[in-house]
Amino acid sequence: EHGDLGTLDVTALWNKDEEQIDIDGMCDDGTGKLKIDGFVSPSKYSIDLKMQLHKTAMGYLNTFTSNVLKDIEGRADGHLNVIGPLNAIQLVGAVKAKATFSVPILNTQYRLSDEDSVYFVPNDIQFRNTKVYDMENNMAVVNGGVHHKTLGQFTFDFDINTEKLLCFDKKDFGDDSFFGTIYASGNTKIHNIRGETDIDGNMTPLPGSSFVYNASRENYIN
């Protein structure tokens, strides 16, 4: 999925009794490793691969989350299972990650430390009281998740609480009628359904914030 995991050393054997391909392998990129153990069954059209992550690169997630989160970079420790019928694959497990990612709608970048786990359950990637930091080390606590239908049709719901966070950072109008840099405290709920994003917040702007609205292309208020 367009994420380099290094060199794969794998043994794949045909299991005649179960009519499946038994797989035992290791990906190694020199820094991180990914241990793989399980099977792919052509006869049952199913997959069950257990993966142990040790400083494993996370770039492959960009393929699945590109309409919600972008530029995911970092490494993770934990376990993930790739399971299900081949036309409805799921990721199940929990990982702790040191990673950065961007949120296109906010034009901001954030990071995860390896303090908290991110949980993968069927059709959901869940954040449970997960601490997220902006690039100035301000912190928010995030609950919610990225929802999907067998790794497709991604949407998201996030409940974000913070005493100070860079919440929006756009330097020019572009195709919008506003831009600015906003630091804020409070609570915000962000929902994405059918390609539309709603933001419902009770936030207080903090010093260092600015917001510019273009009222008429020739005049604007600041």
Side-chain angles (χ1 to χ4, degrees):
E1 297 295 345
H2 309 287
D4 187 0
L5 295 174
T7 300
L8 173 64
D9 183 4
V10 62
T11 299
L13 299 174
W14 176 248
N15 184 327
K16 182 178 180 180
D17 294 335
E18 299 293 335
E19 296 186 325
Q20 66 189 30
I21 304 168
D22 292 335
I23 297 172
D24 183 11
M26 177 77 75
C27 286
D28 189 340
D29 68 2
T31 299
K33 295 182 179 181
L34 177 65
K35 179 72 171 66
I36 305 167
D37 179 37
F39 67 84
V40 177
S41 174
S43 62
K44 298 177 182 176
Y45 202 64
S46 65
I47 186 172
D48 187 348
L49 295 178
K50 298 175 178 63
M51 302 188 298
Q52 293 294 326
L53 291 74
H54 178 66
K55 299 186 184 302
T56 305
M58 299 176 62
Y60 63 91
L61 290 176
N62 285 290
T63 298
F64 306 113
T65 66
S66 59
N67 66 331
V68 179
L69 307 175
K70 290 188 175 182
D71 307 317
I72 299 173
E73 294 182 2
R75 295 185 177 272
D77 292 273
H79 66 278
L80 282 176
N81 283 20
V82 182
I83 60 173
L86 294 176
N87 62 350
I89 292 174
Q90 296 282 357
L91 293 175
V92 177
V95 301
K96 292 185 175 182
K98 281 189 174 181
T100 60
F101 60 92
S102 62
V103 182
I105 191 173
L106 304 176
N107 202 43
T108 51
Q109 188 179 37
Y110 300 103
R111 67 175 179 86
L112 293 171
S113 72
D114 56 359
E115 302 169 77
D116 305 304
S117 292
V118 177
Y119 298 90
F120 293 74
V121 300
N123 296 318
D124 236 13
I125 303 171
Q126 297 181 347
F127 295 80
R128 306 174 186 173
N129 293 319
T130 303
K131 291 180 280 294
V132 176
Y133 300 84
D134 65 23
M135 293 299 102
E136 299 175 18
N137 214 37
N138 302 306
M139 186 188 77
V141 176
V142 177
N143 285 280
V146 178
H147 319 303
H148 59 89
K149 292 184 178 179
T150 61
L151 302 180
Q153 303 180 45
F154 282 85
T155 61
F156 59 86
D157 292 280
F158 292 118
D159 187 314
I160 303 168
N161 286 278
T162 181
E163 294 183 1
K164 180 181 180 182
L165 192 73
L166 178 61
C167 299
F168 184 79
D169 190 26
K170 191 173 182 183
K171 303 302 184 184
D172 54 52
F173 289 115
D175 295 328
D176 296 321
S177 59
F178 57 88
F179 72 90
T181 298
I182 300 175
Y183 296 89
S185 65
N187 172 261
T188 296
K189 293 178 172 59
I190 304 176
H191 308 281
N192 176 268
I193 300 174
R194 294 183 294 275
E196 296 183 357
T197 299
D198 294 325
I199 300 176
D200 182 11
N202 183 10
M203 305 290 288
T204 301
L206 300 175
S209 299
S210 64
F211 185 79
V212 178
Y213 176 69
N214 185 355
S216 65
R217 290 187 178 273
E218 293 182 359
N219 300 299
Y220 62 84
I221 57 176
N222 188 351

